[in-house]
Amino acid sequence: MIIILKEKPDQLQLDSLKKWLTRQNVTLHISEGVRQTIVGLVGDTSAIDIDIVKQWDIVDDVKRIQEPFKNANRKFHPLDTVINVSGRQVGGGGFTVIAGPCSVESEEQIICIAESVKASGADMLRGGAFKPRTSPYAFQGLRAEGIRLLLKAKQATGLPIVTELMDLSQIDLFADVDIIQIGARNMQNFEMLRQLGKCSKPILLKRGFANTYQELLMSAEYIMAAGNPNVILCERGVRTFETYTRNTFDIAAAPALKNLSHLPVFMDPSHACGVSKFVPSLALASAAVGADGLLIEVHNNPSCALCDGAQSLTTQAFDELMVKLRGILPHRYISK
Ligand code: PEP
Ligand code: MN
């Protein structure tokens, strides 16, 4: 339930309303805008009589909201959230491109890709150090060494780095990582989400391949309710009956999630389709439907990649994509 107050509410009345609401066993979430103050009620509001709430003179309107997510809900927070990532702005009208290999493989590889994607205009470098692989026999990532190499690439290029955390036991290694990625498979690892809510580092939260928008937003809610407002949502394809592509890219996720939530929404066409030649058109489509940014897998030698080579763009294909992106986002694109 949300209570919209009239402009400049009388403080005594507001105190009395707050006291009454607190007695109804709900937590208050007060958002003070320039003109309007909104009181969000978190908890079971089913027993609260709207007509009683309307009796306070300071109340302009009361609405029951269906969605169980409060912190991530655009109704509570009408303006887009803008997240500061080591001095770079994510969301709020700009467009952010995060690029890099699926896995960090060697110092030479990550530095070469970092320099190349930077020259093409990428805003951040992404590379996996801890890899969630379906097979325990597949390459699992360089782990701590992978993070060390990412930090070297960050030092060499100045690009902020994004990498996946698979387990809380690894968290100390992430102190200098700029964005922590939570992968599709961990989207509902609730204990991990709750713990990430205790830090202020931006979290890139990927949608699970069989999860609804609401489930994704409830996972964001775990992080936000525990105190960390810096969540970026990411669509990466969902599983359907189609097998020609790796997953089915849910292009509607960008406008739908942005309608439901004020959080920035990124799109990952690489994991969504799994075929490098389809990635550029899906990336351009993502920009066209209003996404706040992209996650693109790029490799200096895709045919030899230790992970996800088939969906990785060559550095040249990535450069061509960036030229096209600038063409369709002449006012939004902030890099270069
Ligand atoms: C990845 O980003 O490399 C990855 C494993 O993604 P997802 O969690 O979306 O499968
Ligand atoms: Mn990958």
Side-chain angles (χ1 to χ4, degrees):
M1 183 180 287
I2 56 173
I3 303 171
I4 301 150
L5 301 183
K6 290 181 185 154
E7 258 183 72
K8 301 195 180 73
D10 172 73
Q11 195 56 46
L12 282 178
Q13 279 215 30
L14 181 55
D15 290 344
S16 135
L17 174 64
K18 286 202 291 200
K19 213 184 237 170
W20 184 83
L21 289 168
T22 309
R23 281 206 305 270
Q24 312 307 308
N25 284 329
V26 287
T27 311
L28 308 189
H29 185 294
I30 301 183
S31 239
E32 280 184 51
V34 186
R35 310 192 74 212
Q36 233 166 9
T37 302
I38 292 172
V39 184
L41 308 190
V42 183
D44 183 9
T45 57
S46 51
I48 298 181
D49 185 341
I50 285 191
D51 291 330
I52 295 181
V53 180
K54 283 185 178 164
Q55 282 175 5
W56 270 268
D57 277 345
I58 54 168
V59 173
D60 190 23
D61 202 2
V62 185
K63 289 191 175 121
R64 277 202 190 277
I65 55 168
Q66 301 299 316
E67 300 91 349
F69 49 95
K70 303 284 189 290
N71 289 281
N73 201 319
R74 196 180 273 284
K75 284 182 188 154
F76 281 108
H77 190 299
L79 297 181
D80 282 355
T81 279
V82 178
I83 299 177
N84 183 322
V85 181
S86 313
R88 294 173 194 234
Q89 177 180 311
V90 169
F95 194 79
T96 306
V97 179
I98 302 178
C102 183
S103 314
V104 178
E105 297 170 9
S106 66
E107 178 166 342
E108 191 193 10
Q109 174 242 23
I110 194 66
I111 301 275
C112 165
I113 297 172
E115 282 172 348
S116 175
V117 297
K118 183 185 180 184
S120 299
D123 300 282
M124 299 184 202
L125 174 70
R126 197 204 75 120
F130 294 92
K131 293 305 306 175
R133 303 303 300 276
T134 302
S135 166
Y137 309 116
F139 176 59
Q140 304 287 308
L142 295 181
R143 303 173 70 84
E145 172 67 0
I147 304 256
R148 193 183 70 79
L149 297 180
L150 277 170
L151 291 171
K152 271 200 149 181
K154 172 177 171 174
Q155 204 172 28
T157 58
L159 291 178
I161 54 171
V162 183
T163 194
E164 178 167 350
L165 174 74
M166 279 176 58
D167 189 87
L168 282 170
S169 60
Q170 303 150 355
I171 191 85
D172 290 347
L173 295 167
F174 284 65
D176 296 319
V177 166
D178 300 277
I179 298 183
I180 297 178
Q181 175 177 323
I182 297 300
R185 293 154 191 81
N186 262 321
M187 188 204 90
Q188 289 190 311
N189 184 337
F190 300 123
E191 192 48 35
M192 179 144 93
L193 301 176
R194 213 196 306 271
Q195 293 302 325
L196 290 172
K198 295 184 184 162
C199 71
S200 58
K201 234 182 234 303
I203 309 294
L204 178 77
L205 180 64
K206 298 187 96 178
R207 179 185 182 187
F209 40 72
N211 287 110
T212 63
Y213 300 149
Q214 181 159 309
E215 286 164 343
L216 172 62
L217 291 165
M218 291 307 287
S219 291
E221 195 70 19
Y222 264 91
I223 302 170
M224 299 175 86
N228 184 353
N230 302 315
V231 180
I232 301 165
L233 305 170
C234 182
E235 161 62 28
R236 45 76 75 208
V238 288
R239 185 164 285 182
T240 67
F241 47 79
E242 184 53 69
T243 55
Y244 188 66
T245 49
R246 181 175 178 180
N247 290 289
T248 296
F249 192 31
D250 181 4
I251 194 82
L257 287 169
K258 288 189 67 70
N259 188 50
L260 289 165
S261 176
H262 50 88
L263 296 173
V265 178
F266 278 43
M267 303 294 263
D268 172 355
S270 308
H271 290 89
C273 76
V275 184
S276 62
K277 69 177 170 187
F278 302 152
V279 169
S281 54
L282 297 177
L284 294 170
S286 304
V289 294
D292 296 288
L294 284 168
L295 218 66
I296 304 283
E297 284 194 341
V298 180
H299 200 281
N300 53 340
N301 188 358
S303 57
C304 293
L306 296 181
C307 184
D308 286 350
Q311 67 195 33
S312 299
L313 295 187
T314 59
T315 50
Q316 191 191 334
F318 177 70
D319 192 65
E320 287 162 13
L321 168 61
M322 293 299 279
V323 172
K324 290 184 183 154
L325 270 173
R326 273 182 224 108
I328 67 163
L329 295 172
H331 305 299
R332 282 186 69 198
Y333 197 68
I334 50 176
S335 228
K336 254 196 166 178

